[in-house]
Amino acid sequence: MPPRARARSYDPAKTRTAVIAQLRQVRKAAEGLDATALDAPTRLGDWTVRELIAHLAMAVTSVVRLLERPAPPVREVTVTGWASAVAGHSGPIDEETRALAAGAEPGELLERAEARFAEVAAVAPADRLLAARVGAMRLDDYLVTRCVELVVHADDLAAATGVPVSHDRQALATATRVLADALAAKAPGGSVEVRIPPFAVIQCVEGPRHTRGTPPNVVETDPPTWIRLATGRLTWAEALESGPLTASGDRADLSAHLPVLG
């Protein structure tokens, strides 16, 4: 049994700043979209761009909504626990997203999300417990998950519209690390080293543990490619063929362990 990895910590102040910064990048990209662009399809089932933007706004306004509810008694879920459980709540998330998209224009939703976050979420105590869908979480942990949502779906928005959406560096680093740690939790072990420079290095997959020198099994890629792999936007074979992914060693094929986030 490999030793248990120490939970990664995130600076609450930097995380809050990253949430706002990434939301602003989304707002900037969405400003020039006309009705035709908003009704265009996305790679997320039958969601249109309009619904995708509503979901991005909801990722942020959910913080405010949860802060307005009574705090649960004890913490139940960490960031890694969220990553493994969130796919099981896709039904209610889809329903709420569609209702939100039908009730207001995308630009209004994003503007309101930023304003309410600055008013409520940006000043709440980091250890405040929230009754999240997946279980009770600390506010600072939940904000980390908001970085993941914003980065992943900003990439979806760029893919659907052809409009580049920049990633805030802190938000991108946070999303990269969360999804790397989710892989380490899903496939525990020390036989494969996964490198996602400049943000993360983890070991995973059962087998002989590497302790010194050059690891026999190494996977390396860039953060955007890793995020697409970890969320099922890109397959292992596609990433190998296109070049951003390299894998060496008998155990370096991680396709059986991906995606880690639905």
Side-chain angles (χ1 to χ4, degrees):
M1 178 75 70
R4 190 168 186 169
R6 186 177 66 177
R8 196 186 300 271
S9 62
Y10 298 86
D11 184 299
K14 290 182 179 180
T15 303
R16 293 180 205 228
T17 300
V19 169
I20 288 293
Q22 189 61 55
L23 180 62
R24 286 175 178 167
Q25 293 295 339
V26 170
R27 287 186 65 186
K28 181 179 178 181
E31 281 175 358
L33 300 180
D34 59 18
T36 300
L38 290 172
D39 290 335
T42 70
R43 59 191 180 190
L44 301 173
D46 60 355
W47 277 7
T48 64
V49 170
R50 186 183 301 275
E51 286 154 343
L52 172 55
I53 293 174
H55 184 70
L56 280 155
M58 191 172 79
V60 178
T61 55
S62 67
V63 185
V64 178
R65 186 176 70 250
L66 292 173
L67 281 168
E68 292 173 340
R69 296 175 181 173
V74 294
R75 182 189 194 186
E76 298 171 329
V77 180
T78 63
V79 171
T80 303
W82 169 86
S84 64
V86 67
H89 299 266
S90 59
I93 291 171
D94 178 69
E95 292 174 7
E96 290 185 24
T97 295
R98 294 179 189 278
L100 190 63
E105 288 301 308
E108 179 186 343
L109 291 173
L110 294 172
E111 181 179 3
R112 187 190 310 161
E114 182 175 341
R116 291 290 286 146
F117 185 89
E119 178 185 357
V120 179
V123 297
D127 61 354
R128 167 67 150 82
L129 290 177
L130 307 178
R133 295 180 195 276
V134 298
M137 299 182 69
R138 285 171 52 114
L139 173 61
D140 53 354
D141 284 345
Y142 192 72
L143 290 174
V144 167
T145 73
R146 301 307 86 191
C147 283
V148 179
E149 291 275 2
L150 287 167
V151 167
V152 169
H153 291 308
D155 192 53
D156 291 332
L157 182 62
T161 64
V163 178
V165 185
S166 298
H167 288 312
D168 171 74
R169 180 178 173 83
Q170 184 66 33
L172 181 60
T174 298
T176 301
R177 291 164 183 156
V178 169
L179 295 172
D181 290 345
L183 172 62
K186 182 177 182 179
S191 69
V192 180
E193 184 165 289
V194 180
R195 303 169 180 172
I196 314 156
F199 299 134
V201 178
I202 61 151
Q203 291 191 346
C204 60
V205 182
E206 289 183 356
R209 186 173 183 82
H210 167 71
T211 56
R212 67 174 71 180
T214 302
N217 302 284
V218 177
V219 172
E220 184 165 341
T221 192
D222 57 83
T225 301
W226 166 241
I227 287 167
R228 292 165 194 152
L229 280 167
T231 59
R233 272 67 173 173
L234 186 67
T235 68
W236 184 261
E238 289 168 343
L240 282 174
E241 184 177 352
S242 60
L245 174 69
T246 60
S248 60
D250 294 341
R251 298 173 181 269
D253 185 341
L254 300 179
S255 57
H257 307 295
L258 297 172
V260 297
L261 183 71

